[in-house]
Amino acid sequence: MIHATKYLVYTLSLGFVLIFSIGSLSAQVVKEMEVSISSQMAMQMVGSSNVSFEIPANSNKRLIEKEAAVTIKVQTNRNWVLQVNPQTESLHSLTNKSIIPSTNLRIRANGESFMNLQSEDINLIKGNKGSYQSSGNDISIDYELPYDKDQSAGNYQVTLVYTLAAI
């Protein structure tokens, strides 16, 4: 007579364990599972990362300000940092061959202090995970461009690269 307390255990190469009870009509399958949660990061830009500044002729003004020039909305399941850098070393005039160094351009997020652009990424603002509607995930970007009094009048342009990175 075969007793119900004896078991045969077979391990299959697929990660399944089959347990048969000798003398009874039951079987069990045990499966080891692995769960991965991926990082999800997205941002939407309202406005353009292609920024243009018009320097007027015969003006006493030495600063161009652009408030709320761009709005960036962030949605992520990770805490994040928004970084920015210029794609070129200079702002180029569309009307003449004059340039202004990109490092003259100042930028700020959500009314914080202005920072000068650098040739490499600068950390503009940090935030917490959440949806587009979460507090702090809707960022207003302002620009300031100081220029010399002898700067040629014209329209100057620079392309900025915004990067959303997990922290």
Side-chain angles (χ1 to χ4, degrees), residues 61-133:
K61 193 174 177 183
R62 298 291 168 245
L63 179 70
I64 298 174
E65 300 170 299
K66 293 194 174 221
E67 291 189 11
V70 175
T71 299
I72 297 175
K73 297 174 182 255
V74 173
Q75 178 171 283
T76 177
N77 63 354
R78 302 275 309 270
N79 291 344
W80 52 269
V81 61
L82 182 63
Q83 301 170 327
V84 64
N85 71 356
Q87 193 173 34
T88 59
E89 293 180 6
S90 303
L91 285 85
H92 297 277
S93 173
L94 301 176
T95 53
N96 57 49
K97 296 186 191 271
S98 294
I99 62 170
I100 300 172
S102 296
T103 54
N104 283 18
L105 183 61
R106 297 189 296 222
I107 186 170
R108 73 176 174 191
N110 291 342
E112 299 292 324
S113 298
F114 277 100
M115 295 181 267
N116 283 72
L117 285 180
Q118 304 295 317
S119 57
E120 66 278 341
D121 286 335
I122 60 170
N123 293 340
L124 190 56
I125 191 167
K126 293 180 180 180
N128 297 318
K129 60 186 173 184
S131 69
Y132 290 125
Q133 294 79 28

Side-chain angles (χ1 to χ4, degrees), residues 3 6 16 32 39 72 87 95 103 112 138 143 146:
H3 298 286
K6 294 183 182 177
F16 289 97
E32 191 174 303
S39 292
I72 297 175
Q87 193 173 34
T95 53
T103 54
E112 299 292 324
D138 193 6
Y143 302 110

Side-chain angles (χ1 to χ4, degrees), residues 28-61:
Q28 287 183 324
V29 176
V30 178
K31 170 68 175 130
E32 191 174 303
M33 296 180 67
E34 184 177 304
V35 177
S36 296
I37 299 175
S38 301
S39 292
Q40 184 270 334
M41 302 186 84
M43 77 178 161
Q44 296 175 344
M45 183 172 283
V46 180
S48 174
S49 64
N50 194 3
V51 183
S52 180
F53 297 90
E54 180 69 35
I55 295 178
N58 302 320
S59 174
N60 291 331
K61 193 174 177 183

Side-chain angles (χ1 to χ4, degrees), residues 7 14 18 20 56 58 62 65 101 104 106 113 124 128-129 140 150-152 154 156 167:
Y7 294 93
L14 298 176
L18 296 176
F20 295 99
N58 302 320
R62 298 291 168 245
E65 300 170 299
N104 283 18
R106 297 189 296 222
S113 298
L124 190 56
N128 297 318
K129 60 186 173 184
S140 178
D150 60 344
Q151 186 69 47
S152 297
Y156 291 79
I167 53 173

